Amino acid sequence: FPGFGEPLPSRQLRPAAVLVPIVARTTELTVLFTQRADHLLSHAGQVAFPGGKMEAADAGPLSTALRETEEEIGLHRRFVEPIGYLDCYQTGSGFRIVPAVALIEPGFTLALDRNEVADTFEVPLDFLLDRRNHQRHSREWQGRERFYYAIRYGDRTIWGATAGIVRNLTERLARSC
């Protein structure tokens, strides 16, 4: 499922990248998420990975993901060990997202840009990789039924592109075992 509302083939997809930050806690691995600010015009209040549009000065997707992560949540790249990339994810809003997976060393301090991010939280990686926690939903959008994943964790719902990227991570790890 490429995402909630695959872009029309005639649309030019805008390049973007996100960081999938896996924090190496002493007792378990967790994944760091952001909760977007409520006042944003697009995707307000939604759970997301840090990231955004690629800029001309970015050397590539990893550069974009690291820059955006530093800007949005203040996670310095010295704590980030890149692991690799997941499959590109196309959104209904016209983005082609490259997810860069990285291991994050504990000991970091976050400084949120409140214009973009309201909060951050971590979810155990084991919870995210358990397919029983992935719910498949559908809704009509632009006259067509569209499918997307949702993952409920406590009082938060990870859905849409973010849940799709988590699902891709789950599938990739399952195939590698």
Side-chain angles (χ1 to χ4, degrees):
F1 306 103
F4 179 75
E6 303 86 4
L8 299 173
S10 61
R11 286 176 61 184
Q12 178 68 24
L13 297 175
R14 294 169 289 179
V18 297
L19 189 70
V20 180
I22 301 174
V23 183
R25 298 284 176 204
T26 306
T27 57
E28 67 183 342
L29 296 175
T30 64
V31 177
L32 178 66
F33 292 93
T34 67
Q35 178 112 26
R36 292 174 52 85
D38 287 333
H39 67 269
L40 294 173
L41 295 177
S42 64
H43 310 292
Q46 289 184 5
V47 172
F49 289 116
K53 292 179 248 184
M54 289 185 73
E55 295 180 359
D58 293 335
L62 180 60
S63 176
T64 299
L66 292 174
R67 175 184 53 75
E68 286 281 346
T69 298
E70 285 181 343
E71 290 173 5
E72 290 179 9
I73 63 173
L75 177 59
H76 195 278
R77 59 185 72 206
R78 75 173 172 268
F79 293 98
V80 179
E81 180 184 334
I83 296 172
Y85 297 101
L86 295 173
D87 298 334
C88 292
Y89 192 94
Q90 295 180 17
T91 70
S93 55
F95 286 96
R96 181 179 181 268
I97 302 171
V98 177
V101 181
L103 197 59
I104 309 301
E105 178 185 329
F108 58 86
T109 302
L110 300 179
L112 308 186
D113 176 349
R114 297 293 179 181
N115 289 321
E116 294 190 48
V117 177
D119 196 12
T120 60
F121 64 99
E122 295 179 32
V123 178
L125 181 61
D126 286 345
F127 179 88
L128 294 170
L129 297 180
D130 186 342
R131 287 187 187 109
R132 293 173 295 184
N133 296 320
H134 301 193
Q135 300 170 352
R136 187 171 174 234
H137 296 273
S138 70
R139 108 175 20 158
E140 188 174 316
W141 188 65
Q142 295 185 343
R144 291 181 48 201
E145 184 176 26
R146 309 294 180 142
F147 295 91
Y148 63 96
Y149 283 104
I151 303 166
R152 186 90 175 140
Y153 184 75
D155 62 346
R156 310 216 195 224
T157 301
I158 303 161
W159 70 280
T162 306
I165 291 168
V166 169
R167 182 66 181 204
N168 181 244
L169 175 64
T170 302
E171 297 300 324
R172 292 281 295 275
L173 289 175
R175 286 193 306 262
S176 68
C177 295

